[in-house]
Amino acid sequence: MQFVRDEEHQMLVDTVRRFAREVLQESAETHDRRGAVNPELSTSLAELGLFGLLLPESEGGFDAPA
């Protein structure tokens, strides 16, 4: 079975990849050594709307495929 993304899903994937490369990758090692999470990352993730990925649209989420 081949999984085909629609345009909206592909845009989401591209956004998450870019965020991971540009933001997460730079701070991951530092925060892993400290055993702490950078609270600013939560704000950035929320601004991108990523906390609602698995919520149904009826509850304000994206209803994204798993």
Side-chain angles (χ1 to χ4, degrees), residues 11-44:
M11 286 176 22
L12 176 61
V13 169
D14 294 342
T15 298
V16 171
R17 281 187 181 142
R18 189 170 34 259
F19 180 78
R21 283 188 200 118
E22 295 174 4
V23 179
L24 296 180
Q25 190 172 15
E26 289 188 20
S27 65
E29 186 177 331
T30 301
H31 290 94
D32 282 349
R33 271 183 281 160
R34 290 183 191 159
V37 175
N38 180 348
E40 292 174 12
L41 291 178
S42 294
T43 302
S44 297

